[in-house]
Amino acid sequence: MTLLSPLQLLPERLVQDIVRYVTSTSRLQFEGINHNPRDCGELLLPLLCVCHNFREVVYSHFCRQYRLDQVDKQKSGFSTWPKGPRRIEDLGNNALGLTRELVIYLDLHSVYTGKALEELVRHLSDDPMFPRVRRLTFIMSWLADERQVDSAETSMEDNIGAFVQRVRQIAPSVNLIDVQPGVDSVGVQRVARFFGNVISQLSQLTRRISFFSVATRIPMELPVDTVHDLVHFNYYTLDDNIDNHVRAMQVARQSAATLQYLRFNANTRTGLSNLFWDSDSGSYFNYPCLLSLVLGIWTFSPVLLPPVARGVVLFPRLSDLKMTNTYPFSDDLPFRGNVATLRYLHIVATREVCDILRQYEVFSSTSHSELKRVEIESPTDGIPSHFESREAYMRFALGIGPGALVRSIRGISTGEDLSPALSLLTSHSCIQLLDFPDTPLMLWDIEFLTRSLPLLSNLGCLSTGLGLMMEDIALDEYAEFMHSLSSPSRENFRCWRLANVVRGDLQETVECVLSVALFCPNFDYAAVSSLIRKEFMKLMEETIQSDGFKQHAPRLRRLLFD
């Protein structure tokens, strides 16, 4: 009877945790300017020899993406495999069952002429080879002479149809399609035409295509009428072509009855009226299934959609709402009918938004009780000009979703004593994660927050270091005093995310981190930029061994393990 080692008896969930830990450790080891993602997997290779469970989990890590590269055939294979891609013949077809994303690099001219289909058939067998692939990405190039364009495009539709059918045979479960221009692509319009034909052909084969993404700067030159009943639409562009935006709106409106995710990022606000408002009928489009809405506009324009009767509801199932640099409505329309479903909100606290929220009492004490994550952004550096003080701005931010567990508030910045503003947090003891992305906090501020918010486990902010706290106090006495502040009420605090730490402030930042570890008994991770992390950790190890902190070294050394 063969005896199994303890490692071979580990459950799969624990094996997955081990692989994740090894991957993160190797990522830190290899990170740098010339970092290659494949290097991160080298430490996993020995685990392939442990047992079947380890081999399956490691294969899942390495085989999550398969690359078919017609442009550079040497790069075909599992693209995340260490020391170069591994091909099908190296690992066998079983590994393809672990693949989640198929990336196809194509010479677009060869698609038009039919040669791409020949290559695909030659590379892959007839049986479905990627049964679990959900994401299909085409990266397009044009390697032919420009004079061959017209002759190639005449037979384009038939050849694309055959090519797409072959792709669907090898990846029957695809539900996300993305088309991007390659770096050497001679024109994005051809890519857009290819994209439109792909969508048309796929819509004829199956209605399971539920997503497509328009890559940055790709014009919307697709046959709009063939694209409908989508559940996921993402339009993200830096282009200022209004015609492109309007066509994107048409696609969204045609799928309004089925869309669950809608993201529209562009650099004009005018087009948003076409997304929600039908000027011909003078009414709004209804999005009854929409769960997530993301709106982002790069150029401000005071174009507002007209107010609507109180009984009209556009988003009855909305769960996530994010609006950056824009609020295109003139009333509380996006908050109607979803008081029991809205869980995530990100808004910019402009005067218009604040006035609407107050006027319609959107977030009364009994409203939107399921809101768990709230992110408030200031439209300017510092607090918005229409708030008289930090306390007023903080009071407004905390009044949105009083029961939220996660809060991010941007704009409560530097200079004055923050204690009056921070003291408002004491009535929100349910907060578990708190983020002040551009606000420097003193050590005493952090001491106050960890004492006043017993469920707080994760804090993000800038650091001012120790300030004046160590003047005329020996370091060992100071450390002992910090340790005396430890209490069970701080046991949940685990992670401090430090933003914008610079090398000149490292020593004081390290001492501040160690101080927090002394009065928070379970604090075990300080997150800093990967650019300085190696230096930061080395300095922390040296400081722990210094006279002031040495007596608490056993407790502090846990900070050295990522």
Side-chain angles (χ1 to χ4, degrees):
M1 179 177 178
T2 304
L3 294 177
L4 298 178
S5 72
L7 281 177
Q8 293 173 314
L9 295 172
L10 291 176
E12 184 178 348
R13 179 186 56 79
L14 194 52
V15 174
Q16 291 172 344
D17 289 341
I18 291 172
V19 170
R20 275 193 292 268
Y21 174 77
V22 173
T23 305
S24 63
T25 302
S26 60
R27 186 176 295 117
L28 287 172
Q29 176 181 338
F30 288 105
E31 68 186 4
I33 295 176
N34 297 318
H35 164 65
N36 184 337
R38 294 195 187 101
D39 294 336
C40 295
E42 289 193 8
L43 293 181
L44 289 177
L45 291 178
L47 298 182
L48 289 171
C49 304
V50 175
C51 66
H52 174 76
N53 280 353
F54 272 84
R55 188 159 50 250
E56 287 294 307
V57 174
V58 173
Y59 270 146
S60 297
H61 173 80
F62 286 141
C63 300
R64 62 183 180 272
Q65 181 189 93
Y66 193 84
R67 169 175 175 158
L68 286 172
D69 198 328
Q70 185 191 41
V71 179
D72 185 352
K73 296 180 177 58
Q74 295 301 315
K75 293 181 179 179
S76 290
F78 294 103
S79 51
T80 54
W81 199 273
K83 299 180 180 178
R86 298 292 294 273
R87 297 172 180 266
I88 299 172
E89 52 266 30
D90 297 331
L91 301 177
N93 284 352
N94 289 340
L96 299 181
L98 304 170
T99 307
R100 297 296 186 271
E101 179 180 6
L102 178 59
V103 181
I104 301 181
Y105 286 73
L106 283 175
D107 168 22
L108 193 53
H109 179 263
S110 70
V111 176
Y112 289 176
T113 60
K115 291 182 179 178
L117 178 60
E118 297 174 9
E119 289 283 335
L120 195 63
V121 171
R122 193 161 36 240
H123 192 93
L124 301 173
S125 69
D126 291 334
D127 298 327
M129 299 186 63
F130 300 95
R132 298 185 183 181
V133 161
R134 297 293 184 268
R135 182 186 185 109
L136 175 61
T137 300
F138 292 104
I139 299 181
M140 315 303 301
S141 299
W142 185 278
L143 303 182
D145 189 289
E146 281 292 294
R147 289 170 295 184
Q148 297 176 307
V149 171
D150 293 336
S151 61
E153 291 190 357
T154 56
S155 58
M156 172 183 69
E157 189 168 341
D158 291 341
N159 288 327
I160 285 182
F163 175 79
V164 169
Q165 287 203 38
R166 184 73 190 100
V167 170
R168 284 310 301 243
Q169 288 172 0
I170 64 173
S173 300
V174 166
N175 60 14
L176 184 156
I177 299 214
D178 194 10
V179 178
Q180 305 171 14
V183 293
D184 55 351
S185 182
V186 296
V188 294
Q189 291 192 2
R190 289 194 201 95
V191 177
R193 285 198 292 274
F194 170 82
F195 179 68
N197 276 275
V198 167
I199 292 297
S200 298
Q201 297 288 342
L202 285 171
S203 66
Q204 294 167 16
L205 291 173
T206 177
R207 299 309 311 164
R208 294 172 66 187
I209 300 301
S210 61
F211 169 95
F212 73 95
S213 165
V214 180
T216 302
R217 296 189 177 90
I218 291 185
M220 292 293 295
E221 296 191 4
L222 54 90
V224 174
D225 293 340
T226 66
V227 185
H228 48 81
D229 296 338
L230 298 173
V231 299
H232 194 140
F233 181 64
N234 176 22
Y235 182 78
Y236 184 97
T237 179
L238 302 178
D239 191 6
D240 59 359
N241 189 320
I242 296 296
D243 292 337
N244 292 339
H245 302 336
V246 171
R247 291 180 68 82
M249 305 286 180
Q250 287 179 271
V251 172
R253 293 200 308 261
Q254 286 178 176
S255 298
T258 57
L259 271 178
Q260 296 180 17
Y261 176 98
L262 173 59
R263 180 187 185 193
F264 190 91
N265 283 66
N267 65 351
T268 175
R269 190 175 181 180
T270 307
L272 282 180
S273 60
N274 294 316
L275 190 58
F276 303 108
W277 177 253
D278 184 355
S279 56
D280 293 333
S281 64
S283 61
Y284 279 93
F285 291 99
N286 187 26
Y287 291 80
C289 298
L290 197 64
L291 303 177
S292 178
L293 175 62
V294 180
L295 299 177
I297 304 299
W298 312 123
T299 303
F300 180 80
S301 173
V303 177
L304 295 176
L305 295 168
V308 67
R310 294 294 300 161
V312 175
V313 174
L314 295 193
F315 315 112
R317 297 179 59 192
L318 196 64
S319 174
D320 299 345
L321 175 60
K322 181 175 182 177
M323 292 180 286
T324 58
N325 299 329
T326 185
Y327 185 87
F329 308 95
S330 55
D331 53 21
D332 63 337
L333 191 55
F335 302 102
R336 294 182 190 172
N338 49 47
V339 294
T341 62
L342 192 65
R343 298 179 64 83
Y344 166 75
L345 175 66
H346 178 117
I347 59 172
V348 179
T350 62
R351 182 184 295 276
E352 294 81 9
V353 170
C354 295
D355 288 345
I356 286 174
L357 295 182
R358 293 189 187 103
Q359 176 184 348
Y360 290 91
E361 298 180 343
V362 173
F363 295 104
S364 64
S365 58
T366 58
S367 177
H368 294 88
S369 58
E370 295 301 312
L371 196 57
K372 302 303 180 187
R373 185 182 186 103
V374 176
E375 298 174 0
I376 308 297
E377 192 172 340
S378 173
T380 61
D381 292 333
I383 63 172
S385 59
H386 53 95
F387 287 97
E388 69 232 6
S389 65
R390 287 181 176 82
E391 297 93 279
Y393 179 45
M394 179 75 90
R395 192 173 291 109
F396 164 79
L398 294 177
I400 296 177
L405 307 179
V406 177
R407 289 190 178 275
S408 176
I409 304 173
R410 185 181 291 273
I412 301 180
S413 52
T414 63
E416 304 169 11
D417 181 16
L418 294 177
S419 298
L422 294 179
S423 64
L424 297 172
L425 287 162
T426 57
S427 59
H428 296 264
S429 58
C430 61
I431 293 177
Q432 298 176 7
L433 187 149
L434 188 59
D435 196 15
F436 296 109
D438 56 356
T439 303
L441 298 182
M442 295 186 297
L443 182 58
W444 278 131
D445 295 327
I446 297 167
E447 188 277 332
F448 169 78
L449 291 174
T450 56
R451 171 166 41 91
S452 304
L453 303 174
L455 299 181
L456 184 67
S457 64
N458 194 307
L459 174 67
C461 65
L462 303 173
S463 172
T464 59
L466 301 176
L468 302 177
M469 293 182 62
M470 286 185 59
E471 285 192 358
D472 302 324
I473 303 178
L475 191 57
D476 56 344
E477 295 179 12
Y478 167 82
E480 195 58 40
F481 172 68
M482 289 289 104
H483 183 250
S484 70
L485 298 176
S486 179
S487 70
S489 65
R490 308 180 200 269
E491 287 182 348
N492 284 309
F493 189 68
R494 304 293 298 269
C495 176
W496 183 13
R497 291 168 289 110
L498 293 132
N500 296 337
V501 177
V502 295
R503 285 184 168 84
D505 300 330
L506 275 186
Q507 180 61 52
E508 193 165 357
T509 301
V510 164
E511 291 174 350
C512 196
V513 166
L514 294 178
S515 299
V516 174
L518 288 174
F519 60 74
C520 293
N522 292 322
F523 173 59
D524 58 8
Y525 189 71
V528 297
S529 167
S530 60
L531 298 176
I532 63 168
R533 182 152 190 83
K534 187 173 181 179
E535 185 178 349
F536 181 83
M537 298 298 285
K538 180 180 179 181
L539 185 57
M540 182 180 293
E541 186 170 14
E542 294 172 354
T543 306
I544 289 173
Q545 297 304 320
S546 66
D547 291 339
F549 292 99
K550 185 184 296 185
Q551 59 184 324
H552 300 288
R555 178 173 184 169
L556 299 175
R557 288 190 64 83
R558 66 175 180 270
L559 290 165
L560 302 176
F561 299 96
D562 289 304

